[in-house]
Amino acid sequence: MNESVEKAIDSLWNEELLFLKTVASYDSTLGNEREVQLFIEEYLKDMGLQTDSFDVDTDKVSKYRNYGQPEWGYKDRPVVVGTRKSEGDGKSLILQAHIDVVDAGPESHWEGHAYTPRIKDGRMYGRGVLDMKGGLAANIFALKALEAAGVSLGGDVQIQTVIEEEVTGNGALALLEAGYTADGALIPEPTQHRILTSQVGVIYLRVTVKGAGAHVERAEQAQNAVMKAYKVIEALEGYREHINGQEKHPAFKSHPHPLNVNVGKMKGGDWTSSVPVECVFEARVGCYPGTDPKDIQKEVKSWLLKASEEDEWLRENPPEIEFFGFNAHGFEMDTGSELYETMAASHRRVKGSDVENLSFTATTDVRAFDEFGIPVTCYGPTGGDMHAPNEYMDLESLKDTTKAIAYFMMDWCNSRKD
Ligand SMILES: [Zn+2]
């Protein structure tokens, strides 16, 4: 059976690459997910899957603890699911991928175009190829290969594609809330063939620093908002050192710097010879599993306000601090679970070695499944420059991931429900 599955993956390989190139040619950044989602829904329909797609309803998902605060609407930004029904009494499975990608950044930093995927030296380059349209291709072609090889599955399989993994996680919540649940779930994020066993929580914040404007010629009477924002950013750096200097969470003991703080966006000033009256920056802060992101919000806010008191201007004009997007709790997996064992065995069959565990210093949609009590992990391909120019995936690792997912499905869906 193994041989015929691997053969099917080999013979579908060019089709898998073409599928990946196609989905990676869509710019599916925040707000632009519709076209690729429609393409995927049609693709799943052509495979004979029962499909559904709908927009996220914030009234329905806002009650969940991992709900992220959006600052935009959800119209025409569907989540998609395709279900392959089974007559058997085996466990059901969700294979999920997020379709949203982060901004490609300045085009001059890319060799070639970010949304014109290209293959060179065994790698495919392009925004979203690694994170995580490659994983989506693996999900779909693992199922296709099993069917081509005549393997019948004892449990239902859902292929899900969601939006906003990169900013709120509300897409994953929406499908689960609508009843698209299962006995287990796998998300092939690019884990470099490791099993994700824990991940940090994440919050986003926006800081608005006010100045007092003037022409540059009497700048000494003015307060430069950009320079004042610099002081607040220094305070945030102090916070980063503070949290990483504390006792580490057991899952992250061996990690040199588990809690990253990133200033990711900044805007200040309007004219070269005017003193800026406002500077706004956005930052991402990590926290350990077991902490409530709401408590971290309070902690960051009071840290920054306290530091601002040391500056005469900021004391009188404290920065405004708001929170948006991620309100993501951390995650820890039971490594004695059947899901873990099944994934570890699938890895061994493909790679011939024991799998390594990954304590991930960023977040993924696994926490939504965790909130619904569904066993879940991430396992996926290798590559580099995720969230950076010239993002790429190693194609051989995509093939291995496709095989590992196929084996995982065979074992999981053919084992009896508990
Ligand atoms: Zn991702």
Side-chain angles (χ1 to χ4, degrees):
M1 198 44 97
N2 287 4
E3 210 175 302
S4 57
V5 171
E6 300 215 1
K7 246 192 202 143
I9 289 170
D10 286 337
S11 63
L12 286 165
W13 182 237
N14 282 331
E15 208 184 305
E16 183 169 351
L17 290 182
L18 179 63
F19 173 84
L20 176 54
K21 270 192 159 179
T22 307
V23 290
S25 68
Y26 287 88
D27 168 352
S28 51
T29 43
L30 182 75
N32 302 309
E33 309 91 340
R34 181 169 179 268
E35 294 304 317
V36 70
Q37 288 289 61
L38 292 182
F39 170 81
I40 290 163
E41 186 170 14
E42 281 307 307
Y43 199 90
L44 297 177
K45 253 187 211 151
D46 286 347
M47 287 169 64
L49 272 59
Q50 238 172 63
T51 69
D52 190 9
S53 62
F54 53 89
D55 295 333
V56 174
D57 181 345
T58 51
D59 287 343
K60 288 183 178 166
V61 291
S62 58
K63 61 176 177 278
Y64 295 101
R65 68 174 193 155
N66 282 297
Y67 173 71
Q69 191 59 53
E71 296 185 320
W72 41 78
Y74 283 101
K75 199 173 159 2
D76 292 331
R77 304 175 53 218
V79 291
V80 172
V81 54
T83 308
R84 173 72 81 211
K85 284 271 178 199
S86 165
E87 307 278 271
D89 57 359
K91 288 193 174 72
S92 56
L93 178 66
I94 292 167
L95 296 174
Q96 193 185 73
H98 65 83
I99 204 63
D100 55 315
V101 299
V102 297
D103 201 281
E107 200 166 329
S108 60
H109 288 243
W110 284 79
E111 279 171 45
H113 190 270
Y115 297 105
T116 307
R118 60 202 171 88
I119 294 175
K120 197 181 155 198
D121 303 329
R123 295 170 167 181
M124 193 188 289
Y125 290 83
R127 171 56 83 235
V129 167
L130 181 66
D131 184 18
M132 63 166 291
K133 289 169 175 171
L136 168 63
N139 283 345
I140 288 180
F141 282 81
L143 179 61
K144 277 194 160 197
L146 288 180
E147 294 182 342
V151 176
S152 62
L153 295 171
D156 294 355
V157 174
Q158 294 176 36
I159 305 275
Q160 300 186 345
T161 53
V162 300
I163 63 165
E164 289 200 6
E165 187 273 345
E166 300 286 4
V167 64
T168 60
N170 293 345
L173 284 175
L175 277 175
L176 293 168
E177 195 277 335
Y180 288 104
T181 58
D183 299 316
L186 176 68
I187 308 177
E189 290 273 10
T191 63
Q192 328 271 349
H193 297 292
R194 292 168 292 178
I195 296 182
L196 183 143
T197 50
S198 51
Q199 72 182 20
V200 299
V202 169
I203 60 163
Y204 277 5
L205 63 141
R206 180 180 299 114
V207 180
T208 304
V209 180
K210 294 216 158 47
H215 188 279
V216 72
E217 131 284 325
R218 45 181 188 87
E220 72 287 348
Q221 297 158 29
Q223 298 291 341
N224 186 317
V226 169
M227 300 309 285
K228 293 296 174 192
Y230 181 68
K231 294 204 174 209
V232 185
I233 288 172
E234 274 187 329
L236 193 59
E237 271 294 284
Y239 177 75
R240 181 185 62 76
E241 282 167 23
H242 164 72
I243 53 178
N244 284 285
Q246 289 178 330
E247 166 134 18
K248 286 178 191 163
H249 184 281
F252 294 88
K253 271 266 179 314
S254 59
H255 200 287
H257 191 275
L259 299 175
N260 293 313
V261 174
N262 183 62
V263 177
K265 219 170 151 180
M266 195 171 186
K267 191 186 177 310
D270 304 289
W271 189 249
T272 313
S273 50
S274 301
V275 175
V277 291
E278 192 171 278
C279 182
V280 183
F281 69 89
E282 292 176 4
R284 171 268 195 213
V285 173
C287 61
Y288 285 127
T291 50
D292 188 337
K294 292 268 186 288
D295 291 338
I296 304 302
Q297 290 181 353
K298 282 182 211 144
E299 187 176 273
V300 174
K301 191 172 179 172
S302 67
W303 182 280
L304 294 184
L305 290 178
K306 191 157 178 269
S308 297
E309 281 171 20
E310 284 161 34
D311 180 272
E312 213 177 308
W313 171 259
L314 289 174
R315 194 186 315 130
E316 299 304 317
N317 304 274
E320 282 167 30
I321 300 161
E322 340 159 59
F323 300 92
F324 71 104
F326 279 129
N327 175 54
H329 286 250
F331 166 80
E332 279 187 284
M333 184 194 190
D334 173 11
T335 53
S337 65
E338 188 180 341
L339 190 102
Y340 179 92
E341 285 303 332
T342 309
M343 193 66 245
S346 308
H347 170 88
R348 215 174 293 121
R349 267 153 93 175
V350 175
K351 305 294 275 185
S353 59
D354 286 342
V355 76
E356 281 176 35
N357 294 342
L358 168 65
S359 291
F360 193 43
T361 57
T363 187
T364 73
D365 276 330
V366 294
R367 66 182 184 280
F369 292 91
D370 195 36
E371 186 165 355
F372 276 75
I374 298 170
V376 60
T377 191
C378 293
Y379 174 92
T382 66
D385 291 322
M386 203 164 123
H387 290 219
N390 303 312
E391 173 182 347
Y392 69 90
M393 181 179 57
D394 298 314
L395 290 175
E396 205 49 43
S397 84
L398 175 62
K399 197 184 258 190
D400 285 346
T401 301
T402 311
K403 289 177 185 171
I405 294 175
Y407 290 142
F408 180 81
M409 281 162 94
M410 276 167 76
D411 291 350
W412 182 261
C413 296
N414 290 325
S415 77
R416 285 267 189 96
K417 273 185 191 293
D418 303 320

